[in-house]
Amino acid sequence: MGQGLWRVARNQQLQQEYGDQCYLPRERGGRRVADNLNNHRRHCPGQGGTDIYQLLRARKGKEERGFIDLEMLPPELGITILSYLNATDLCLASCVWQELGNDEYLWQGLCKSTWGHCSIYNRRLPPGFSYRKLYMQLDEGSLTFNANPQEGMGYFMSKGILVDHPKEVAKFIFYTRTLNWKMLRIYLDERRDVLDELVTLHNFSNQFLPNALRDFFRHIHAPEERGEYLETLITKFSHRFCACNPTLVREMGLSPDAVYVLCYSLILLSIDLTSPHVKNKMSKREFIRNTRRAAQNISEDFVGHLYDNIYLIGHVAA
C-alpha cells in the first residue's frame, strides 16, 4: 500500500521541495484532510489541488507513522491509490476501506486487465451486476481451464461470460494471459476453428520473419515434438505472414510455401544454436547453403540476416 501511495505521488511529477512552513498539520479528532488542504493553500499560494506527494513528504518530515486513512482523501485519489493493488490485496483493503475496496471501477479494471476480452463486456449489464463477482468467476473459470480445457470453456459459457463462437473464443484466448499453455495447446488442437480465428488476430505487418514467428509462438505455443499440429501451425502462420506483408512478398518473391520452408529452417537453426547437446554448431555459410537448396528464390543476403537474428536474439519458439 505504501508503494502505491508513493507511485501516485511520483505520477503527479511534483519534485519541488516542501518547506516546514507548508507542512500539513497532523490530523486529529477525525477532521478531513480537505480542511487541512484549504489551510495549506492559504499558506502556500500557487499550489492548488490535492498534492499527495507533498502530503507524504509532510508526514515523513514530521515522522508520523502508519498509512494515511484513504477515507480522509478525496474519493478519486483513494481509488487511484487502490488501483495499483492486485485482487488479493484489494480484497484485504476492502476489509479496512469497504466502500473504496468494493468500488466497481477498480474491479472492472482488474477484470479487463487480466481478461482483455469477454463477450459479457459488450452486452447490457443486468441490474445488480458486480464486477467483483465477475472477477471471481473469471478466476474460477481459468483455474478450471488449466485443469480441464473443455470444462473450463463450458464454465465460461454457462455463466454467460463467453459466447460459444470461434471468433469470440479466439479473442478471449488472445487477450488472456492466465491460461496454461499446455492446456491451451490441447484445446486448440481439438478446436481448429478457434485456431483459425486466433491466427487472423495476429498482425505481422512490417515484422522481420523470425520476430513475427516469435510473436506467433508467444500466443500459440509450439508443440514439443514435430508432428501434424506443428505443420498446421507453420502452414497457417505462413499464409498469415504473406497476407500481412504483400509488399515484401512482391519484392522478395516470397510465397506461403517459401515462408513455410524458412520457418522450419529457423526452428532447426534455433535448436542447433541453443542446444547444449549440439557440439558442432551450424555456421552461417552452411545455413545459407542448406536453406537456399529448399528455397532457391530467396536471396543469400536475406537468409544471412535470418541467421544473424537467431544467433543474436535466440530461439524462435522458446
Side-chain angles (χ1 to χ4, degrees):
M1 182 68 70
Q3 293 179 352
L5 285 167
W6 282 107
R7 191 178 302 174
V8 173
R10 288 196 300 271
N11 288 346
Q12 292 187 332
Q13 299 179 350
L14 296 175
Q15 302 299 326
Q16 300 176 358
E17 289 297 324
Y18 194 47
D20 292 338
Q21 72 276 12
C22 294
Y23 282 155
L24 293 177
R26 185 168 184 172
E27 193 68 26
R28 294 182 183 275
R31 291 178 301 172
R32 294 185 60 81
V33 170
D35 298 331
N36 288 331
L37 287 172
N38 291 330
N39 295 330
H40 163 60
R41 294 190 189 100
R42 287 195 295 269
H43 289 89
C44 302
Q47 300 290 333
T50 303
D51 192 342
I52 185 63
Y53 179 78
Q54 295 180 355
L55 177 59
L56 290 173
R57 287 286 299 273
R59 289 173 59 86
K60 187 176 181 180
K62 292 192 172 186
E63 297 183 352
E64 295 189 20
R65 297 181 179 180
F67 296 118
I68 297 173
D69 186 354
L70 298 186
E71 292 184 348
M72 300 172 65
L73 298 176
E76 62 274 12
L77 186 55
I79 290 175
T80 301
I81 293 170
L82 292 180
S83 68
Y84 290 99
L85 302 182
N86 58 31
T88 301
D89 292 338
L90 187 56
C91 285
L92 295 174
S94 66
C95 297
V96 180
W97 303 289
Q98 185 172 4
E99 185 174 350
L100 287 174
N102 291 320
D103 188 88
E104 284 291 282
Y105 174 80
L106 293 174
W107 288 100
Q108 180 183 4
L110 282 174
C111 287
K112 293 188 175 182
S113 63
T114 308
W115 299 273
H117 177 84
C118 293
S119 304
I120 196 171
Y121 295 159
N122 301 320
R123 294 203 298 265
R124 184 183 297 274
L125 301 178
F129 176 84
S130 169
Y131 273 103
R132 178 171 179 168
K133 180 180 179 181
L134 176 61
Y135 184 96
M136 303 305 173
Q137 292 175 338
L138 285 167
D139 188 53
E140 178 68 22
S142 297
L143 293 174
T144 304
F145 182 94
N146 293 339
N148 187 308
Q150 295 296 340
E151 289 186 7
M153 283 298 174
Y155 178 88
F156 290 129
M157 294 166 188
S158 67
K159 298 297 182 180
I161 297 173
L162 202 58
V163 173
D164 189 9
H165 187 278
K167 182 174 290 187
E168 285 294 301
V169 177
K171 287 182 178 180
F172 175 79
I173 293 173
F174 187 79
Y175 294 108
T176 298
R177 298 293 177 266
T178 60
L179 304 180
N180 181 272
W181 64 270
K182 292 184 178 180
M183 296 296 110
L184 187 57
R185 189 175 63 196
I186 294 173
Y187 181 79
L188 292 176
D189 194 16
E190 297 175 353
R191 290 291 304 270
R192 296 300 175 91
D193 55 341
V194 175
L195 178 60
D196 290 338
E197 295 292 344
L198 187 58
V199 172
T200 60
L201 292 174
H202 289 81
N203 183 8
F204 302 124
S205 299
N206 301 319
Q207 288 194 40
F208 193 37
L209 180 59
N211 297 334
L213 195 58
R214 287 190 187 93
D215 184 46
F216 180 72
F217 284 136
R218 194 173 294 119
H219 288 93
I220 308 174
H221 291 269
E224 298 173 353
E225 298 179 357
R226 179 176 177 177
E228 186 270 337
Y229 181 58
L230 178 60
E231 295 178 2
T232 300
L233 290 181
I234 297 179
T235 299
K236 294 181 182 298
F237 168 82
S238 301
H239 284 84
R240 181 60 181 169
F241 182 83
C242 290
C244 292
N245 296 280
T247 303
L248 181 65
V249 169
R250 184 173 58 256
E251 294 178 352
M252 300 294 300
L254 290 177
S255 67
D257 290 339
V259 174
Y260 180 92
V261 172
L262 292 176
C263 288
Y264 258 114
S265 297
L266 290 171
I267 292 174
L268 295 176
L269 177 64
S270 298
I271 296 173
D272 185 277
L273 294 182
T274 60
S275 174
H277 303 293
V278 179
K279 302 302 180 182
N280 298 320
K281 305 297 184 182
M282 185 183 301
S283 67
K284 185 174 182 178
R285 184 182 299 273
E286 290 172 332
F287 177 74
I288 293 174
R289 184 180 66 249
N290 295 338
T291 302
R292 295 199 68 210
R293 285 176 181 174
Q296 299 177 358
N297 295 333
I298 308 303
S299 69
E300 182 175 327
D301 289 341
F302 183 77
V303 179
H305 291 319
L306 296 178
Y307 182 94
D308 294 339
N309 183 279
I310 303 301
Y311 184 84
L312 295 174
I313 299 180
H315 206 302
V316 292

